[in-house]
Amino acid sequence: YALALTDHDNLCGAMRFAQKARREDLRPITGAEVTLTGGAHLTLLAVSATGYSNLSRLISLAHIAAERRDPQLDPRLLAEHAQGVVLLSGCPQGPIPLALAQGRFDEAKALAKQYLDWFGRDSFFLELQQNLVRGDTRRIKELVALGRQLGVPIVATNNAHYHAKDRHRLQDCLVAIRRRKTLEASHRERRANAEFYLKSPEAMAHLFAELPEAIRQ
């Protein structure tokens, strides 16, 4: 099995993660969820030494171009640093999912074509996430339809923020502390349910039983 670590806008845990993963006989994949100018998210995975270098450079550029606590990457820089990097279309806050959610289908299609041009068909995937939150099923259907129209492969990912389901309350507390709010006041910032845990391969296969191709990637 392989497992990717995709922290927001940094690679701080990459080395420790790789060491731990190998001890557990897992293939570690180094990645990051980068914040684009305007606030949308994209998932980037390094698949080679060159890719790791490019991913590191992109994260550095995002921090240089913005305030320390608010890194943002100019998406045009992706084209210059695509070698050795796999691009996923992102979580619900990705530019393509956001465009689809707002009915801007032509924009979503144009973005997908742009990413295809920059990364190629072997290194760009439409990312499907099912955390049993309202809107997940509709978004997945629209992403699948877009992928079939353009010939872009789909891949299911596990939007994990804690390792076990019963740790969701602790994660809620950490979010509240980070935001300097009470639990009640931080409701909008917290995860919608307890489904954002590290699911097993079997659980992921069950969630995406109707889309087995998304699990095989």
Side-chain angles (χ1 to χ4, degrees):
Y1 292 114
L3 184 66
L5 178 69
T6 56
D7 285 334
H8 275 275
D9 303 305
N10 74 79
L11 296 171
C12 297
M15 181 62 70
R16 186 180 179 190
F17 165 68
Q19 293 170 344
K20 292 273 189 180
R22 290 193 177 99
R23 285 201 289 269
E24 298 297 328
D25 200 26
L26 288 168
R27 181 166 66 89
I29 300 173
T30 300
E33 189 172 354
V34 299
T35 304
L36 303 178
T37 304
H41 302 163
L42 282 177
T43 308
L44 302 176
L45 306 175
V47 296
S48 66
T50 298
Y52 182 83
S53 177
N54 276 324
L55 178 56
S56 299
R57 180 66 61 85
L58 287 168
I59 291 172
S60 296
L61 291 170
H63 282 268
I64 290 170
E67 296 182 9
R68 182 180 178 185
R69 294 183 178 273
D70 187 29
Q72 294 193 3
L73 179 70
D74 183 339
R76 293 173 296 182
L77 294 171
L78 292 168
E80 304 171 26
H81 302 86
Q83 186 177 356
V85 175
V86 166
L87 171 68
L88 308 185
S89 60
C91 66
Q93 298 304 310
I96 291 177
L98 283 172
L100 290 173
Q102 295 167 9
R104 295 180 280 114
F105 301 104
D106 290 343
E107 181 179 335
K109 185 175 180 180
L111 282 168
K113 287 183 176 180
Q114 183 69 84
Y115 296 151
L116 272 177
D117 183 53
W118 289 346
F119 288 84
R121 292 193 182 275
D122 293 332
S123 297
F124 171 50
F125 297 81
L126 291 170
E127 185 175 359
L128 311 182
Q129 295 186 352
Q130 176 58 275
N131 290 101
L132 306 180
V133 176
R134 182 178 180 181
D136 282 0
T137 300
R138 177 181 177 182
R139 182 179 62 256
I140 287 171
K141 289 181 179 179
E142 292 177 343
L143 286 167
V144 170
L146 179 63
R148 288 172 178 168
Q149 183 178 356
L150 298 179
V152 180
I154 57 175
V155 62
T157 66
N158 185 188
N159 188 8
H161 289 261
Y162 36 90
H163 71 287
K165 191 170 186 176
D166 61 2
R167 299 301 288 268
H168 75 280
R169 296 188 184 279
L170 175 59
Q171 210 262 343
D172 288 347
C173 291
L174 292 173
V175 170
I177 291 169
R178 182 183 180 188
R179 301 289 182 175
R180 298 182 180 181
K181 296 180 179 181
T182 64
L183 279 171
E184 184 177 356
S186 64
H187 177 74
R188 290 183 178 274
E189 288 93 350
R190 291 189 278 117
R191 300 292 154 182
N193 57 30
E195 292 296 319
F196 292 81
Y197 66 98
L198 187 60
K199 297 180 177 69
S200 67
E202 293 76 19
M204 291 294 291
H206 177 73
L207 276 175
F208 291 92
E210 297 182 0
L211 296 166
E213 67 271 30
I215 296 293
R216 288 194 297 264
Q217 299 295 344

